[in-house]
Amino acid sequence: MRIAELSEQSGAPVATIKFYLREGLLAAGQRSKPTQASYDATHLRRLRLIQALREVGGLSLARIRVLTDAIDDDRLPTHDMLGLAANEVSPEVSADPDDPAVAASQARIERLVADRGWALSADNPGWRTAVRVLANFEQVGAGELLEVLDSYAQAAEIVAEADLGTVLNGPDPASRVETVVVGTVLGDSLFAALRRMAQESMSRKFFPPSGE
Amino acid sequence: MRIAELSEQSGAPVATIKFYLREGLLAAGQRSKPTQASYDATHLRRLRLIQALREVGGLSLARIRVLTDAIDDDRLPTHDMLGLAANEVSPEVSADPDDPAVAASQARIERLVADRGWALSADNPGWRTAVRVLANFEQVGAGELLEVLDSYAQAAEIVAEADLGTVLNGPDPASRVETVVVGTVLGDSLFAALRRMAQESMSRKFFPPSGE
């Protein structure tokens, strides 16, 4: 297909597609004439991946490039790819270790990890974020939110088990890697969406809505 | 305390605090002299809330203002506040209803909602995002990810029940509203962090890491 059709099918403006081509996020098309290239289903699929990572995942183009490079690198072991995807899609948060609230949160997360029997590397990107969020709960006077931790961890195990299951079922390494990227980034959005839905449904039971 | 101490305790630069004061995100301090104001623990707490919503939640100042206004408005019923918080912290996603992948996802989510017995309003912000993510799974060739849906929904119910429990336990309406804002925004980040941790732990079992 020509670039105009690629634009129509994906909903991405031609200028945006040309930008991705220049930036190397999208592979060049097959030259049919000196001023014309043709594109196929693999281009459409990659274009939709970039759009989903941007719009739903909120990722920057720099992060998207790291991920698409990884998808195209078939030498990367699956475990390493999982770690890379997790790192790229996690916000960089800092937590001051001298802050008493941070130290208390660190101890709390260590206890949780031990209780759950989780085997983790020291640089797991979730660890730092979890510590920071728990410290924030205390600092903003919402300490009662700490009570959710065990339920969240239990739910996270259910989700992680489903996640890993889909990766194991991938037909070949390249598609597994793509599944990891898509599943990690869009999985966060999907879970947050389902959480909002389950929250509204439960909220209606506990707190009668006004005006109904 | 003076503004310098507020800066030291929160880690926010004085210029940033002055900006929040000008923008009305932070209430003015008590005037002690014509050129000097003093701040207390409520200012520190609000400042930390703004920082957490920005840095961990990634929210814009415009969205943060809507949320802090809601916290300060004690006439808002709890159910309405839950809806408002959910809306403000959800990315605005669009899904083309004429797209066959979107139509199929819509039907799939309707079936899930019916199976789960969820009572939802048509404008629940999670609904649209869930449809969009499922459609993206198909469009980027990761259709096997659709298998995670039921596990995710089950986990979302566990999380939502824990969420609502903390809101019910809030001592007064104002603190309940603050709990909803903090819990909704930081809860997404906390869950994503715990998911990364559980994923790594399970990944180590299934895929031996390289170099270990």
Side-chain angles (χ1 to χ4, degrees), chain A residues 82-99:
Chain A
L82 268 168
L84 191 145
N87 271 314
E88 283 307 312
V89 304
S90 303
E92 275 159 43
V93 300
S94 57
D96 176 3
D98 293 333
D99 186 317

Side-chain angles (χ1 to χ4, degrees), chain A residues 83-157:
Chain A
L84 191 145
N87 271 314
E88 283 307 312
V89 304
S90 303
E92 275 159 43
V93 300
S94 57
D96 176 3
D98 293 333
D99 186 317
V102 170
S105 300
Q106 175 70 29
R108 195 156 187 145
I109 294 289
E110 276 168 19
R111 216 157 53 228
L112 177 82
V113 168
D115 288 349
R116 292 270 156 194
W118 287 352
L120 295 181
S121 58
D123 61 350
N124 181 290
W127 187 291
R128 220 163 39 238
T129 302
V131 168
R132 167 71 189 263
V133 170
L134 290 196
N136 281 145
F137 284 170
E138 296 276 20
Q139 287 167 339
V140 303
E144 69 277 14
L145 284 171
L146 292 170
E147 290 161 25
V148 303
L149 193 55
D150 283 324
S151 301
Y152 273 48
Q154 185 200 339
E157 283 181 2

Side-chain angles (χ1 to χ4, degrees), chain A residues 38-106:
Chain A
S38 82
Y39 302 89
D40 59 24
T42 62
H43 290 93
L44 181 60
R45 179 166 153 173
R46 179 58 57 91
L47 191 50
R48 283 185 161 145
L49 175 64
I50 297 169
Q51 288 176 294
L53 296 178
R54 282 192 79 167
E55 292 167 26
V56 183
L59 296 195
S60 68
L61 285 180
R63 283 176 188 262
I64 291 172
R65 180 199 293 276
V66 173
L67 294 173
T68 53
D69 283 353
I71 290 174
D72 296 334
D73 177 359
D74 52 13
R75 294 156 311 170
L76 217 55
T78 304
H79 179 81
D80 296 2
M81 180 58 218
L82 268 168
L84 191 145
N87 271 314
E88 283 307 312
V89 304
S90 303
E92 275 159 43
V93 300
S94 57
D96 176 3
D98 293 333
D99 186 317
V102 170
S105 300
Q106 175 70 29

Side-chain angles (χ1 to χ4, degrees), chain A residues 45 55 79-80 82 90 119 121 124 132 144 152 163 179 183-184 188 195-197 199-201 203 210, chain B residues 55 79-80 90 119-121 124 132 140 144 152 163 179 183-184 188 195-197 199-201 203 210:
Chain A
R45 179 166 153 173
E55 292 167 26
H79 179 81
D80 296 2
L82 268 168
S90 303
S121 58
N124 181 290
R132 167 71 189 263
E144 69 277 14
Y152 273 48
D163 289 337
T179 300
T184 305
D188 282 348
R195 178 183 176 223
R196 307 269 185 281
M197 294 166 77
Q199 275 180 337
E200 182 185 344
S201 183
S203 166
S210 64
Chain B
E55 292 168 27
H79 178 81
D80 295 1
S90 304
L120 295 181
S121 57
N124 182 290
R132 166 73 189 260
V140 304
E144 69 277 15
Y152 273 48
D163 290 336
T179 300
T184 304
D188 282 347
R195 178 182 174 222
R196 307 270 185 281
M197 295 167 77
Q199 275 180 337
E200 182 185 345
S201 183
S203 166
S210 64

